[in-house]
């Protein structure tokens, strides 16, 4: 049933006209509830401390590699030239039916601006998707 919902969401999102760059890069959607076909298009960017942040990563094309790395870092405002601090890094194994997407959640307890990146494990220099969100 979950697979059906994710495939429906993917179909809906691919119907919208996206720029050529969006097809080269993946898409990250954030939500305060588990991602379903009903709430897939309500992308949230602001969350409370301790609130679960659900995300859906949609790959630009079928991934050949079985592993992805999800990395979250916090933008540090007090650094003189801007900076960041890695908060969380986790590797995930993708099953055969998950080669186009990945969905999970995490919880953060510090306010600030955060950036999430998703990498193919065989290319950690070029992220497949990058997006930001705030914890208030």
């Amino acid at each position: 049933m979950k697979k059906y919902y994710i495939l429906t969401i993917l179909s809906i999102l691919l119907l919208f006209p996206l720029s050529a760059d969006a097809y080269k890069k993946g898409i990250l959607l954030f939500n305060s509830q588990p991602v379903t076909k009903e709430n897939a298009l309500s992308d949230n960017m602001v969350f409370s401390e301790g609130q679960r942040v659900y995300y859906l990563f949609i790959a630009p094309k079928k991934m050949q590699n079985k592993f992805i790395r999800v990395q979250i870092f916090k933008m540090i405002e007090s650094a003189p030239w801007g900076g960041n601090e890695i908060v969380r890094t986790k590797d995930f194994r993708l099953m055969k039916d998950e080669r186009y997407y990945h969905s999970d959640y995490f919880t953060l307890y510090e306010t600030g601006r955060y950036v999430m990146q998703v990498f193919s494990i065989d290319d950690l220099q070029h992220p497949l998707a990058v997006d930001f969100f705030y914890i208030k």
Side-chain angles (χ1 to χ4, degrees), residues 24-114:
K24 293 178 186 175
K25 294 266 185 187
I27 300 170
L28 274 171
L29 299 173
F30 299 105
N31 207 318
S32 58
Q33 301 294 321
V35 180
T36 64
K37 67 179 182 177
E38 289 82 23
N39 67 5
L41 299 178
S42 61
D43 186 30
N44 294 348
M45 294 179 63
V46 180
F47 301 92
S48 301
E49 287 182 69
Q51 180 181 13
R52 284 186 175 181
V53 179
Y54 292 89
Y55 66 90
L56 173 65
F57 161 66
I58 303 171
K61 59 184 179 180
K62 183 177 180 181
M63 292 185 289
Q64 301 304 318
N65 200 334
K66 294 180 184 178
F67 296 92
I68 61 170
R69 175 167 291 167
V70 176
Q71 183 179 64
I72 301 170
F73 60 91
K74 181 178 180 182
M75 301 302 293
I76 300 172
E77 303 298 329
S78 61
W81 297 284
N84 58 55
E85 171 186 358
I86 295 177
V87 175
R88 182 170 195 240
T89 299
K90 188 168 182 183
D91 294 342
F92 293 95
R93 182 173 190 264
L94 301 176
M95 298 299 148
K96 286 186 179 182
D97 61 337
E98 293 179 337
R99 296 297 172 93
Y100 289 100
Y101 71 93
H102 173 71
S103 182
D104 200 8
Y105 72 90
F106 55 89
T107 306
L108 299 172
Y109 296 94
E110 248 184 77
T111 61
R113 180 178 183 216
Y114 291 85

Side-chain angles (χ1 to χ4, degrees), residues 117-134:
Q117 302 180 105
V118 179
F119 296 93
S120 173
I121 203 74
D122 61 351
D123 183 9
L124 299 175
Q125 299 297 316
H126 303 96
L128 297 171
V130 178
D131 206 350
F132 66 93
F133 59 94
Y134 297 92

